[in-house]
Amino acid sequence: MIMLLSWFLHFSSPSRCLLLKTCDEVDHHREHGEVRVRFAPSPTGFLHLGGLRTALYNYIYAKKYGGSFILRMEDTDQSRLVPGAAESIEDMLEWAGIPPGESPRRGGEYGPYLQSQRLALYTQAADSLVQTGNAYHCFCSQQRLELLKREALRSGQTPRYDNRCRHLRPDQVEEKLDQDVPHVIRFRLESGVEPFNDLVFGWNRHEVAQVEGDPVVIKADGFPTYHLANVVDDHLMKVSHVLRGSEWLISTPKHLLLYRALGWKPPYWEEGPALLTTHCGSGFNSNRVGRKMEELIAEFNPSKITTHSALLDLDKLPEFNKIHLQQRIDDAEQRDWLVRDLQGRIQEVYGTQVQDQDVLRPDYITRVLHLRKGHISSVSDLLSSEYSYLWVRPSFSDQQMAALSSETQHIATLVIRLMEGLRGGEELAVDQLSGELKTLAKKTSNTKYREVMKIIRLALSGLQQVPV
Ligand code: GLU
């Protein structure tokens, strides 16, 4: 997992710090342990690389400043829920070694952490917005909204709601509510949005009321939309810093207006560049490959998160994994885990083909790991056919045997004899064995040492070539 972050980092180039005026204030919050950050995925699919990276940055940020990392499931779009996705996302964070401190599964002081279980809180916030005149009931039918959309498109304009229900009189609203006319609640977008300082992108201002119609905050099914639920929860869960992808930068002015209307203090925003398969972020002083989580936390420097985009090179992934695997093999605790994992996998892959149970012994597997580290990128490589000789004896058909040249057969007989002669002693040193084999090659006219080795390899592994 850590390997993934190294991979992201490898392709990002640090640039100038973009922190502006509020730097001191932010540092104060960070240093006083008031940091609460969250990863807020929608379980409309399984965790993708971009989401994992956002979670990872949040985790590192929380650890760096002694804060809390929260997982909140934003499952308000019931029509797009994917069964099992929420559980799987939480499993993935655990697997990746970035477990949340508060989450749907773990609970916490500010729970529940599943938005569908917090509906009363959003209704309450929406009601208060209606009472203060910041939101209103909208009774426009789907047909009318469709018509508006089509008209806009026909005249080459961006479709937007025309805010018609803003102008309903209170008695008209009452009457429609009494008649149970289906409705939504819309937030009144005011102009005069103040600029905000994104800690990565710098000062931003987007006069959202000029380009958008009033957004729905409570849908006809009683569920909130993303904007309202997100703001309510960030406030109630005491989120101090919002670290999310830059695709959300456009939503921030709307959120600011909601905070203002609800009379709440907004968090700090740090919107990292999106990882759209080609983009990634940075945030460290150097791009050293192979850092451990503690090192990443220690070396993390949010002022180095850049707006730069970079191209991810998937081919580098095995290379980075090789480095991390090497570190795991050198770490006693991690190595034991790898050994146990391999024991299970060998049995799974080869089952009854394993004639020699000694290959399952931890000391043997440990030796294999040490000998192949730096060559393999993943432990699964050891289960590929080119390494099968490590676990099962090669077998040769009669045809294969018959196809061997008489010279090969002759050398093989000599090697067997040599081995039998050496058998019974202590374990042979490599030098001693290779000395013996060289002598044997010399004694056999026309045979090169290389040929002898080839035959031995074939006999022991069934392979013509050595694995690289
Ligand atoms: N639920 C949003 C998502 O799916 C969260 C965006 C945010 O972090 O505010 O990414």
Side-chain angles (χ1 to χ4, degrees):
M1 165 56 225
I2 282 288
M3 164 274 293
L4 272 180
L5 182 70
S6 312
W7 181 57
F8 293 139
L9 299 177
H10 190 79
F11 299 103
S12 36
S13 42
S15 82
R16 244 170 53 68
C17 161
L18 281 172
L19 293 187
L20 300 177
K21 244 178 166 172
T22 58
C23 212
D24 292 345
E25 204 184 335
V26 175
D27 284 346
H28 171 85
H29 278 263
R30 286 172 180 156
E31 277 152 26
H32 288 76
E34 295 162 21
V35 167
R36 286 178 59 79
V37 292
R38 85 315 191 259
F39 174 48
S42 301
T44 51
F46 296 91
L47 193 59
H48 52 75
L49 219 45
L52 184 60
R53 187 191 62 150
T54 303
L56 188 59
Y57 272 87
N58 274 282
Y59 178 85
I60 292 178
Y61 198 98
K63 298 294 158 197
K64 174 93 191 175
Y65 299 107
S68 310
F69 171 52
I70 303 157
L71 171 66
R72 181 175 74 226
M73 225 30 95
E74 302 208 328
D75 62 342
T76 54
D77 190 349
Q78 295 285 298
S79 64
R80 291 176 57 223
L81 290 190
V82 169
E87 294 75 15
S88 150
I89 292 173
E90 192 158 355
D91 287 344
M92 290 300 280
L93 297 186
E94 301 274 350
W95 166 84
I98 50 172
E102 298 166 36
S103 72
R105 200 177 287 161
R106 288 176 186 240
E109 207 181 323
Y110 301 92
Y113 294 86
L114 202 59
Q115 288 191 326
S116 55
Q117 294 175 0
R118 302 171 62 83
L119 298 186
L121 298 167
Y122 313 125
T123 315
Q124 212 177 320
D127 286 348
S128 90
L129 287 172
V130 172
Q131 267 158 28
T132 53
N134 286 296
Y136 58 90
H137 293 92
C138 167
F139 302 91
C140 290
S141 64
Q142 259 333 98
Q143 290 93 312
R144 175 165 195 274
L145 297 176
E146 269 306 311
L147 203 68
L148 278 180
K149 196 166 156 186
R150 258 184 282 145
E151 272 171 15
L153 291 174
R154 210 178 27 231
S155 54
Q157 285 172 345
T158 315
R160 57 190 274 191
Y161 177 58
D162 61 358
N163 301 347
R164 182 164 88 163
C165 288
R166 260 191 190 199
H167 312 291
L168 290 175
R169 291 191 316 271
D171 60 305
Q172 291 173 305
V173 173
E174 278 312 310
E175 194 187 321
K176 286 181 190 291
L177 287 178
D178 285 348
Q179 290 167 357
D180 273 341
V181 178
H183 62 274
V184 298
I185 297 182
R186 287 186 187 269
F187 176 58
R188 190 186 279 264
L189 286 181
E190 297 295 354
S191 48
V193 92
E194 63 258 42
F196 67 97
N197 184 15
D198 184 277
L199 300 175
V200 173
F201 281 82
W203 287 102
N204 259 274
R205 189 160 180 277
H206 169 56
E207 212 32 285
V208 62
Q210 274 172 19
V211 283
E212 289 184 38
D214 291 338
V216 173
V217 286
I218 298 282
K219 294 176 279 187
D221 63 2
F223 273 72
T225 55
Y226 157 72
H227 299 294
L228 180 69
N230 190 270
V231 163
V232 167
D233 285 348
D234 280 349
H235 172 72
L236 295 180
M237 292 180 179
K238 299 206 166 18
V239 169
S240 60
H241 297 74
V242 171
L243 277 73
R244 58 183 171 190
S246 59
E247 68 273 29
W248 300 103
L249 196 61
I250 194 83
S251 300
T252 307
K254 214 176 287 169
H255 295 182
L256 263 177
L257 285 173
L258 276 165
Y259 277 104
R260 192 166 73 184
L262 289 161
W264 296 337
K265 183 178 176 295
Y268 299 101
W269 278 284
E270 305 195 17
E271 275 143 324
L275 182 74
L276 305 164
T277 67
T278 59
H279 295 71
C280 61
S282 45
F284 299 82
N285 293 329
S286 75
N287 259 354
R288 193 159 53 81
V289 177
R291 276 173 286 195
K292 304 211 169 79
M293 183 59 91
E294 312 81 74
E295 293 169 313
L296 288 172
I297 293 168
E299 293 171 26
F300 180 58
N301 178 355
S303 70
K304 294 282 182 188
I305 299 178
T306 74
T307 58
H308 283 230
S309 54
L311 196 68
L312 291 183
D313 182 353
L314 287 166
D315 294 342
K316 285 264 190 294
L317 209 48
E319 204 180 294
F320 286 3
N321 211 31
K322 193 183 278 180
I323 296 168
H324 285 282
L325 183 59
Q326 196 159 343
Q327 288 177 350
R328 292 183 73 189
I329 294 172
D330 289 337
D331 175 295
E333 202 180 309
Q334 294 271 326
R335 188 174 57 240
D336 283 351
W337 191 93
L338 290 173
V339 168
R340 277 196 303 277
D341 181 41
L342 258 172
Q343 278 173 325
R345 295 220 228 166
I346 296 163
Q347 279 162 310
E348 235 169 69
V349 174
Y350 294 105
T352 51
Q353 284 173 268
V354 178
Q355 298 122 318
D356 191 348
Q357 294 301 312
D358 278 356
V359 300
L360 295 170
R361 281 175 43 177
D363 56 340
Y364 176 75
I365 299 180
T366 303
R367 230 174 113 207
V368 168
L369 284 172
H370 277 303
L371 287 170
R372 292 324 289 160
K373 74 182 174 198
H375 296 270
I376 50 167
S377 318
S378 147
V379 282
S380 341
D381 292 353
L382 292 174
L383 297 159
S384 64
S385 56
E386 62 171 356
Y387 282 112
S388 66
Y389 67 91
L390 291 170
W391 325 113
V392 293
R393 286 186 208 149
S395 57
F396 301 94
S397 64
D398 291 347
Q399 276 154 320
Q400 281 171 310
M401 293 302 283
L404 293 177
S405 68
S406 57
E407 195 199 340
T408 303
Q409 294 192 17
H410 174 60
I411 296 168
T413 316
L414 291 177
V415 171
I416 292 167
R417 252 188 241 149
L418 171 75
M419 293 306 211
E420 280 173 350
L422 295 169
R423 190 187 279 170
E426 295 93 62
E427 212 172 292
L428 277 175
V430 176
D431 288 351
Q432 188 197 344
L433 184 57
S434 86
E436 298 278 358
L437 289 169
K438 275 185 184 141
T439 319
L440 183 138
K442 257 187 225 150
K443 275 199 242 159
T444 323
S445 52
N446 290 339
T447 310
K448 294 206 174 80
Y449 175 64
R450 198 156 28 98
E451 291 303 311
V452 175
M453 291 310 285
K454 249 167 122 178
I455 294 164
I456 294 178
R457 181 187 316 125
L458 183 69
L460 291 177
S461 68
L463 297 176
Q464 305 279 1
Q465 307 288 332
V466 247
V468 274

